[in-house]
Amino acid sequence: MLTVLQAINLSEEYLKKKGVESARINAELLLADLLKCKRLDLYLSFDRPLSEEEKAQYRSFLARRAEKEPLQYILGHSEFFGLDFKVNPSVLIPRPETEILVETIIKNHNPEDSLRILDIGTGSGNIAISLAKNLHGSKVIAIDISEEAIELAGNNAKLNEAEDRTEFINFDIETGKLNTLGTDFDIVVSNPPYVALDEFENLQQEIKDFEPKTAVTDFEEGFKFYKIIAKSAPDILKKGGSLYFEVAEGQSPKVEKILTQNKFVNISTVKDYSNINRVVKGVYK
């Protein structure tokens, strides 16, 4: 007989040996998902024995995590801004720092205003859907080059009851013209691929081996999509409209310069909880 507590302890030891960070938390989250309960509920069920089927499934989960497959892909979902999103290897896993981007936009705008928002590189739809849920008067159009991502984002909109105020479109910003999507947006937002190609190999194995490379790096110096979007955004923003970017550590000065070169004013930055400049905002004059 293998109890919940025994399974957690053995799994923590196994994952530690495999070099998995936060091994116990990972072990608990995988088991809680398998048993369809909250992680804290496991502490009320330490003596509960696992069935043979549960043990087999748990071993499968642990083997995948030991190979550094991200926890969120194994579980098939990820929490972001208080909402649940389905995720798979076709999309980047939503990050806590991206919540700063969403939070900044929500703070800067009236929830009841009729806002038209364009989300570029939507992935799982986490930014678009979070904005639609919190800016009640908004209509969000979200684009991505990946057809698989667009399909998943649409499913996430239904899951979070936001399909009436979101629209997901397969679109390549390198070849397509943004003004075909409209010319009256109040907000353009993007968390683009910003890791420089020469830095890609230094990333965690979970990112390098499992997350979509096209969502992580621009295969150049990390500024390619900031330049493309900043150049095109004036064609689709209303006068006084805002452009919001998420940026990596150390990128904000260069991104601020890119915005200045493309007629944006009142440029400002917002720090994340690690005191890193994480959001850059500009207003189209």
Side-chain angles (χ1 to χ4, degrees), residues 196-209:
L197 184 59
D198 62 2
E199 296 175 357
F200 183 79
E201 289 304 317
N202 298 325
L203 297 176
Q204 292 176 302
Q205 188 178 341
E206 283 90 341
I207 300 173
K208 287 191 300 181
D209 293 352

Side-chain angles (χ1 to χ4, degrees), residues 212-252:
K213 193 171 183 179
T214 54
V216 177
T217 178
D218 64 357
F219 299 91
E220 293 183 10
E221 296 179 352
F223 296 97
K224 174 181 177 180
F225 291 104
Y226 295 116
K227 294 175 181 178
I228 292 173
I229 295 168
K231 183 177 180 180
S232 301
D235 294 334
I236 64 172
L237 277 170
K238 296 176 182 176
K239 293 286 186 181
S242 299
L243 173 58
Y244 292 86
F245 282 131
E246 178 176 324
V247 298
E249 183 175 6
Q251 284 187 320
S252 60

Side-chain angles (χ1 to χ4, degrees), residues 150-214:
I150 289 299
E151 181 180 358
L152 182 65
N155 290 335
N156 278 326
K158 293 177 183 177
L159 175 68
N160 287 289
E161 299 180 339
E163 67 268 34
D164 59 329
R165 285 182 285 112
T166 53
E167 180 181 0
F168 298 93
I169 301 171
N170 185 213
F171 190 94
D172 182 354
I173 64 167
E174 291 193 74
T175 59
K177 294 185 177 181
L178 285 178
N179 59 14
T180 61
L181 303 172
T183 58
D184 59 345
F185 287 97
D186 300 280
I187 298 168
V188 174
V189 56
S190 184
N191 175 22
Y194 55 56
V195 175
L197 184 59
D198 62 2
E199 296 175 357
F200 183 79
E201 289 304 317
N202 298 325
L203 297 176
Q204 292 176 302
Q205 188 178 341
E206 283 90 341
I207 300 173
K208 287 191 300 181
D209 293 352
F210 292 94
E211 299 200 60
K213 193 171 183 179
T214 54

